[in-house]
Amino acid sequence: GGAQQDRAAGVALPGDGTAVVAGFAGSAEFPVTAGAFDRTYDGGDAFVTTLDAAGSALVDSTFLGGSRSDDARAIALGADGARHVTGATVSEDFPATRGAFDSSFGGKNAFEADAFTAKLAP
C-alpha cells in the first residue's frame, strides 16, 4: 500500500503459491506494475494485485476504475486464470466493454454507487 488508507477486500489463491488480492487503494503511490490495465490513480480506486509465493514481491498490480471512487469488494478466479472482480463505483466513466449488460451510470452522487463486475485477463 501507500501512505493513505488502502484495504484488501478479497483474496483468491490460484494454486501456484501466489495470491491475488482485490480491494480499495486510497493512496496515490499504491504500487502498480508496468503494463497494468490502469496505472492512473484517480482519487480512490479499486485494485487487483498478484503477490509472489513468498508474499514479498508484486507479480502484477493494477488500478481498476474511472475518474471517481471505485472499490473492489470480492474476487474469484476463472478456470483460465482470469480475475473476476466485483465492487462499487461512483465513476460515470467506469470502463465498460461494448455489449455490456448496463454501461450507463445510475448513481446520482458519491453516496449512490453502481455495482460493477469486471473480468481481467491473467
Side-chain angles (χ1 to χ4, degrees), residues 1-6 25-32 39 41 58 61 63:
Q4 302 301 315
Q5 180 184 8
D6 306 307
S27 301
E29 66 278 0
F30 189 90
V32 293
R39 293 181 50 97
Y41 177 76
L58 297 178
S61 184
F63 291 124

Side-chain angles (χ1 to χ4, degrees), residues 4-115:
Q4 302 301 315
Q5 180 184 8
D6 306 307
R7 65 181 176 273
V11 63
L13 304 172
D16 61 359
T18 63
V20 184
V21 182
F24 173 79
S27 301
E29 66 278 0
F30 189 90
V32 293
T33 54
F37 172 75
D38 182 356
R39 293 181 50 97
T40 304
Y41 177 76
D42 292 309
D45 286 319
F47 73 85
V48 178
T49 298
T50 305
L51 299 170
D52 71 3
S56 60
L58 297 178
V59 174
D60 55 60
S61 184
T62 188
F63 291 124
L64 174 62
S67 59
R68 296 181 68 197
S69 186
D70 313 288
D71 188 0
R73 301 205 176 150
I75 187 164
L77 299 177
D80 61 354
R83 283 92 163 114
H84 298 268
V85 184
T86 188
T89 181
V90 294
S91 294
E92 293 179 12
D93 57 350
F94 190 90
T97 55
R98 188 174 345 164
F101 175 74
D102 180 0
S103 61
S104 61
F105 180 69
K108 296 180 181 135
N109 56 49
F111 301 105
E112 294 183 19
D114 271 2

